[in-house]
Amino acid sequence: MSLIQLTIKGISYSQTQSGAYALVLSEMEGTRTLPIIIGAFEAQSIAIALETEIKPPRPLTHDLFKTFSDRFSVTVKEVIIHKLVDGVFFSSLVCEKDGVEEVLDARTSDAIAIAVRFQAPIYTYENILEKAGIFLKIEEEFGIEDTPESEEDVIDIDTLILKKESSFSDVSLEELHDQLNTAVSDENYELAAKIRDEISKRS
């Protein structure tokens, strides 16, 4: 069965589980998405890896895995989401060392946090997308206009992509930079991301 490559579309607060997040994966060539419920720590770890401006003062667990792997010449080639049972996704890390390939079982949230750090592709199978995938009603700003015929299978993207409402309208740009540095030092990455977004809007 052929593999379908996915990309990370965004992370949102879970509407069904308190304290959890929905990681939204999207097929590279198509409009189907795969929402996966993950924990707050894994969501934070993935978000940090996707950011270029936020560097944690101490390595997170997945950063340590990347450093350890680099030190011992282990490469993560790809991540495959290979099974879905009772709403739980199962994934594998395809690793390589000295030309020898090994496949390791991993939680999907951990596998994707690691894949981002290795810039490794993420794949799944058609039957999993058929079973758990949904269509997004993508606005024109995302460059996709096609939508499925059945409205029952459509979820608006605003319900899935995390919107960070700004509460910094009265704060100067210089103060924002100071707050960003403080938030990173305190390892409050969720706040740091919101401040970063406000700075980007003003640039």
Side-chain angles (χ1 to χ4, degrees), residues 131-176:
K131 186 175 181 180
I134 58 173
F135 286 95
L136 284 181
K137 186 188 298 181
I138 309 290
E139 302 296 338
E140 289 184 4
E141 63 182 294
F142 290 90
I144 301 176
E145 298 180 359
D146 295 335
T147 55
E149 295 180 0
S150 174
E151 289 296 325
E152 295 178 357
D153 294 330
V154 176
I155 292 182
D156 193 278
I157 195 166
D158 288 344
T159 67
L160 292 174
I161 304 302
L162 179 60
K163 283 190 168 183
K164 303 179 180 72
E165 297 182 358
S166 173
S167 59
F168 306 104
S169 56
D170 298 329
V171 181
S172 70
L173 191 58
E174 182 179 353
E175 290 173 324
L176 283 175

Side-chain angles (χ1 to χ4, degrees), residues 81-93:
I81 303 171
H82 61 83
K83 187 167 64 174
L84 173 61
V85 179
D86 296 330
V88 177
F89 293 91
F90 293 77
S91 296
S92 298
L93 291 172

Side-chain angles (χ1 to χ4, degrees), residues 35-197:
I36 300 173
I37 301 301
I38 62 175
F41 171 78
E42 290 79 10
Q44 174 181 276
S45 181
I46 293 169
I48 289 296
L50 293 172
E51 298 290 347
T52 57
E53 299 178 20
I54 300 177
K55 301 295 182 184
R58 297 181 298 167
L60 302 178
T61 302
H62 300 109
D63 296 322
L64 179 59
F65 181 93
K66 175 64 164 60
T67 302
F68 182 91
S69 300
D70 289 344
R71 184 65 57 87
F72 292 97
S73 302
V74 177
T75 301
V76 174
K77 296 176 59 180
E78 61 189 22
V79 165
I80 301 176
I81 303 171
H82 61 83
K83 187 167 64 174
L84 173 61
V85 179
D86 296 330
V88 177
F89 293 91
F90 293 77
S91 296
S92 298
L93 291 172
V94 181
C95 306
E96 185 179 69
K97 176 178 170 60
D98 298 331
V100 178
E101 190 172 281
E102 296 284 349
V103 179
L104 307 176
D105 287 333
R107 294 190 310 166
T108 298
S109 55
D110 288 328
I112 292 174
I114 290 169
V116 173
R117 286 162 170 81
F118 279 89
Q119 298 183 338
I122 303 165
Y123 297 99
T124 193
Y125 293 106
E126 175 66 29
N127 65 323
I128 292 178
L129 268 178
E130 285 183 356
K131 186 175 181 180
I134 58 173
F135 286 95
L136 284 181
K137 186 188 298 181
I138 309 290
E139 302 296 338
E140 289 184 4
E141 63 182 294
F142 290 90
I144 301 176
E145 298 180 359
D146 295 335
T147 55
E149 295 180 0
S150 174
E151 289 296 325
E152 295 178 357
D153 294 330
V154 176
I155 292 182
D156 193 278
I157 195 166
D158 288 344
T159 67
L160 292 174
I161 304 302
L162 179 60
K163 283 190 168 183
K164 303 179 180 72
E165 297 182 358
S166 173
S167 59
F168 306 104
S169 56
D170 298 329
V171 181
S172 70
L173 191 58
E174 182 179 353
E175 290 173 324
L176 283 175
H177 282 288
D178 290 338
Q179 290 184 16
L180 176 60
N181 292 333
T182 300
V184 172
S185 297
D186 293 341
E187 301 185 11
N188 187 345
Y189 301 120
E190 183 174 349
L191 175 60
K194 292 180 180 179
I195 297 172
R196 187 285 321 275
D197 287 348

